[in-house]
Amino acid sequence: EKRMESGKRSLRIRNVLLRQCLSEFLCSFIVIMFGCAALAQMKTSRGAKGQPMSVNMAFSAGIMVAMYLGRDISGAHLNPALSLSFCVVGSLSWSKLLPYCLSQVLGAYVASALVFLMYYEAIMDFSGGVLAVYGPNETASIFATYPSSFMSHRGSFLDQVVATGMMMLSYLPLADPQNSPASRDLLPLLVGVMFLGVSCSMSSNCGGGVNPARDLGPRLFMLFAGWGTEVFTCYNYWFWVPIVAPMLGALLGSGVYALFIHWHLPGAGQDDLSPENEDSTAVNTQSNTSDYQR
Amino acid sequence: EKRMESGKRSLRIRNVLLRQCLSEFLCSFIVIMFGCAALAQMKTSRGAKGQPMSVNMAFSAGIMVAMYLGRDISGAHLNPALSLSFCVVGSLSWSKLLPYCLSQVLGAYVASALVFLMYYEAIMDFSGGVLAVYGPNETASIFATYPSSFMSHRGSFLDQVVATGMMMLSYLPLADPQNSPASRDLLPLLVGVMFLGVSCSMSSNCGGGVNPARDLGPRLFMLFAGWGTEVFTCYNYWFWVPIVAPMLGALLGSGVYALFIHWHLPGAGQDDLSPENEDSTAVNTQSNTSDYQR
Amino acid sequence: EKRMESGKRSLRIRNVLLRQCLSEFLCSFIVIMFGCAALAQMKTSRGAKGQPMSVNMAFSAGIMVAMYLGRDISGAHLNPALSLSFCVVGSLSWSKLLPYCLSQVLGAYVASALVFLMYYEAIMDFSGGVLAVYGPNETASIFATYPSSFMSHRGSFLDQVVATGMMMLSYLPLADPQNSPASRDLLPLLVGVMFLGVSCSMSSNCGGGVNPARDLGPRLFMLFAGWGTEVFTCYNYWFWVPIVAPMLGALLGSGVYALFIHWHLPGAGQDDLSPENEDSTAVNTQSNTSDYQR
Amino acid sequence: EKRMESGKRSLRIRNVLLRQCLSEFLCSFIVIMFGCAALAQMKTSRGAKGQPMSVNMAFSAGIMVAMYLGRDISGAHLNPALSLSFCVVGSLSWSKLLPYCLSQVLGAYVASALVFLMYYEAIMDFSGGVLAVYGPNETASIFATYPSSFMSHRGSFLDQVVATGMMMLSYLPLADPQNSPASRDLLPLLVGVMFLGVSCSMSSNCGGGVNPARDLGPRLFMLFAGWGTEVFTCYNYWFWVPIVAPMLGALLGSGVYALFIHWHLPGAGQDDLSPENEDSTAVNTQSNTSDYQR
């Protein structure tokens, strides 16, 4: 018993950033597992066991679970666009941005690999064994997002900016301590409901990625798993849109909320839009450190 | 850092009413963004990526988010019919009614413009480039509500009176402090669920507007965006029904609740049906003022 | 102002039972308004704007709203079968059973009349002006429940016993203070979710009434509104099944919960299965009385 | 009155394990009643009154209700795979594993018998009176799970390992007191939402059992009720997959959560992943005993 305890202690990770990266990795893994598996279920059953609504619900449930899992460790950003926004408003240090983003992309990568494994026989049966990006038997849309045929790059860029901006504008009041936020207990459920709303209203133009990691991770996986370079070259190198546009969108959404609401709130002298600011993380860190030093 | 802080302070709006109008503007903007974008998603994907249920869910999620955003600033009425009711029961001063309503209409107007921009290519693809009010390729129903073909003016007037009345009758007990209200924390979620119920049961006759701003704002936008005056003249100048009827309906719903329930509650000596009464706003104002004077 | 206040005071109902009946009336009215209007929406739009799922959601939302409205006044039973069960376990006095049930039936009656008025043009358009109980254009299923063609009386009796029993068995643990109940704040939402589950699983055999008032009230309305006596004679006088069977089912469900769980709970010396027992109502009454005497 | 009280006392079960088994029996009964009745509704109405989504919702509602019912008595595991995991992490004593599992299987058995009785006429009408395991009129999928035609044993084993693992990985952070768990009050609702996500994303390959009792109980019932031995021999003796794979999956899911998150949490010196550990049960037991001794 004691040996097991000390074995565990030796496994325990003392580095705060590493633990935070583990948390973002697992959070992102969970969201993509739920979401892309739901897309695989819809696609491979040809709509019999899944519809856009069930996919939206699965993504939302994944986000909810991931937030309960990681919010006290890393803030459960799940999304490079959110991490960037929190850097800009000062609640995440810039030095953590890259590690956070890489963890999120990696989590999405590993999750899509597991979805592929889990749905391997279904995907082979559906596609006749050919991993295609275009056509009626394409399976690329299980993993990454693609634009509707009528969308230009400019149009889908705007689509992703607006959708991510609305998500951010909706997320911030739920969590802004200077306004009338939801309780900590309820927050992840409400973020799930809010994301369900975003998915129901802003996902038909180009798949509603609103998250660079959600799109890039699975796309990279497809590159190595057999779909080939077409996943990046298709639709005239469209892949950069769901990476860049959400970054801009999240910043714009934060800006609108700050400009219209946050700056005019009575107690908002100190600027902090994020529920998980650096200070609280620092406190966390200290208590952790002292815990380890005991 | 200090300069930025003082820059922000100069941006801060000292006028309470102006801040409340900003809040109602943004709340209304959010509801219409979620709702009309969901309608655009359903319409332009010809039902493949959206159904009446997903539209209802998007409206409900938008209402929930908007309530968390604005309830402590302006009460998050979102709806001129609610603002009017609160004026009648004395929890909003009559002088604020017009500014509130204009902000709500303006928020809806701007949101529908953004939905149009976001779905521009999809709408062009769907409609073949003709912005029509009638016919199989009509796109006017993305923005405003229209009656079913069999509805008379009298019938749709009754429909909107009853639907808005039921919404009001359902909203009041959730928030009535003299009865057994839901907690502040849960209220916006429950209002979303309640509205989902209203949408599932009272929206087929004439679109379930139940909100003059939700209807008038986008209709005005369509007038200028290319649909032309037909959006107002169609169905024999039907547009006034979803403006006038909800006003009456909300008052009737409040009356029924007061008559059957509220007046007979033990502690209901002071009449206040609204969770956001003038007094609390006044307190808010004072604390804000003192905050600014510091 | 003072005159208005005293006018209100003269309107205030001093009789506790009458207030409780008003509450049950309005609660039942709300549930049937939401539910039957959703059925009308599904039926008259021929499934285009409503499906069984949207009907289930509307009923659940109505139940949730009604519970917030009436739980502190009358317990918000909404259902004669529940009232009977609470009489049996001693948390409602037998003398109140009949007034409660009549109020519930009357609420359902008035609600179905209003649904008929609201959907009059839609029903006329759908049915071609003939209010039929059988056939492809029947509209009787908007209001009351009917068995599937293959169901015998014995089979549908069992169906309603089991469905109501499951509802009762699921409701009691959510509210049993001796067990691990949900908080008062959350309870109505959870009852809505639970009822959604019951509707999704036990409503295809004969409509999932599980509530004598929900069925009898609208059926009586149809008798007078033009459907004629066939609403009672159809399917070999089937109408008594959804009245009698739920009564038995609720008692059985309560019995199973008591036998398997409640009696074995540590603190369950005093027998009370209902969250709204007579004692607390009595306390309420006293405080009300003293309030009036002041 | 007194005699009734003493009659009840003689019915009260003094044995803690027996009460816990009763609780697991009834919890499992509720989940399968909701879930398999929803499957029967979907199947016998040929999709008219039920879809995969309504089935998923019914299972989730059942899980939610069962957790409120049994969590303070037996922990409401509902699932042998969870009970096994809790034995491994030390929060359930190994001696209770078999009684728990048997109770869960028995509850599922009895529930499927009642579903069969309730839907007897519908099943006879649908199937033409032949209880078949294969073919367009098969009714075996109402009760137990079966693989899609393209699945190998290896593939469906992996599917069930991953699905159960994801469920466990998602359940643990919701309830881990060392992390940021949901409140006791909200937990069952959130577990329902999480399970809805699992069902929407990981149930198309082989039915999403993720629970040995959910599958074995109804399958045993079918063996005796007329489907014959084919329910066990079909698909090359596939029945063992949804029994064995979830056991492994739950352990793996627990392991991933421990390895990535739990062991690195500051206060996680004592190892306990389960919200219902043996100690608290022991305390419960003591208070019960003293209660009985009074």
Side-chain angles (χ1 to χ4, degrees), chain C:
Chain C
E1 176 75 17
K2 255 194 172 174
R3 199 186 307 165
M4 197 176 153
E5 195 53 43
S6 80
K8 266 186 212 166
R9 211 171 290 150
S10 71
L11 275 170
R12 192 181 279 180
I13 294 169
R14 277 163 184 76
N15 184 288
V16 174
L17 179 58
L18 188 51
R19 282 193 287 136
Q20 291 179 329
C21 287
L22 268 180
S23 163
E24 286 297 321
F25 168 81
L26 201 58
C27 285
S28 180
F29 170 82
I30 286 174
V31 173
I32 301 306
M33 269 305 293
F34 274 84
C36 286
L39 281 160
Q41 175 155 333
M42 175 173 72
K43 175 64 88 177
T44 61
S45 74
R46 298 185 188 276
K49 292 179 187 163
Q51 301 78 35
M53 185 60 87
S54 68
V55 173
N56 297 345
M57 284 191 177
F59 266 113
S60 287
I63 288 171
M64 184 192 86
V65 167
M67 284 189 71
Y68 281 109
L69 186 145
R71 59 179 173 170
D72 269 10
I73 304 169
S74 63
H77 298 173
L78 316 170
N79 187 338
L82 261 78
S83 297
L84 176 66
S85 294
F86 291 149
C87 283
V88 169
V89 299
S91 60
L92 183 73
S93 75
W94 283 98
S95 65
K96 288 183 176 177
L97 181 58
L98 197 65
Y100 264 56
C101 294
L102 288 178
S103 307
Q104 291 155 357
V105 172
L106 193 63
Y109 185 99
V110 174
S112 51
L114 189 52
V115 169
F116 183 60
L117 212 63
M118 188 181 189
Y119 279 93
Y120 182 77
E121 296 177 337
I123 288 173
M124 288 301 121
D125 180 74
F126 173 86
S127 65
V130 181
L131 301 178
V133 176
Y134 291 106
N137 290 334
E138 66 84 19
T139 45
S141 67
I142 291 175
F143 298 97
T145 62
Y146 295 96
S148 293
S149 58
F150 50 75
M151 294 300 290
S152 68
H153 277 207
R154 183 189 290 184
S156 43
F157 191 87
L158 178 72
D159 175 88
Q160 284 301 291
V161 167
V162 174
T164 318
M166 281 307 297
M167 185 183 70
M168 201 69 192
L169 175 59
S170 302
Y171 171 70
L172 290 172
L174 296 179
D176 179 2
Q178 249 81 46
N179 199 342
S180 59
S183 72
R184 261 182 67 78
D185 200 39
L186 210 54
L187 183 62
L189 177 63
L190 299 178
V191 172
V193 172
M194 177 271 282
F195 190 82
L196 189 63
V198 170
S199 309
C200 285
S201 57
M202 303 175 206
S203 65
S204 70
N205 280 335
C206 38
V210 302
N211 181 343
R214 177 254 172 280
D215 206 69
L216 181 58
R219 204 182 293 275
L220 281 170
F221 167 74
M222 282 196 288
L223 176 67
F224 297 115
W227 279 266
T229 53
E230 210 176 21
V231 295
F232 279 94
T233 59
C234 69
Y235 299 102
N236 193 21
Y237 295 89
W238 186 80
F239 76 94
W240 66 269
V241 173
I243 297 175
V244 180
M247 296 289 197
L248 184 59
L251 290 177
L252 278 178
S254 304
V256 168
Y257 181 70
L259 204 65
F260 278 65
I261 300 293
H262 185 71
W263 284 351
H264 317 304
L265 292 171
Q270 288 75 29
D271 60 324
D272 181 70
L273 274 172
S274 142
E276 309 288 341
N277 65 10
E278 191 68 8
D279 290 343
S280 73
T281 310
V283 170
N284 240 7
T285 311
Q286 281 193 323
S287 70
N288 294 355
T289 315
S290 61
D291 185 70
Y292 292 135
Q293 288 171 343
R294 256 184 278 146

Side-chain angles (χ1 to χ4, degrees), chain A residues 129-164:
Chain A
V130 182
L131 301 177
V133 176
Y134 291 106
N137 291 332
E138 64 84 19
T139 45
S141 68
I142 291 175
F143 298 97
T145 62
Y146 296 95
S148 293
S149 57
F150 50 74
M151 295 299 289
S152 68
H153 277 207
R154 183 189 290 184
S156 42
F157 191 87
L158 179 72
D159 175 87
Q160 284 300 292
V161 167
V162 173
T164 318

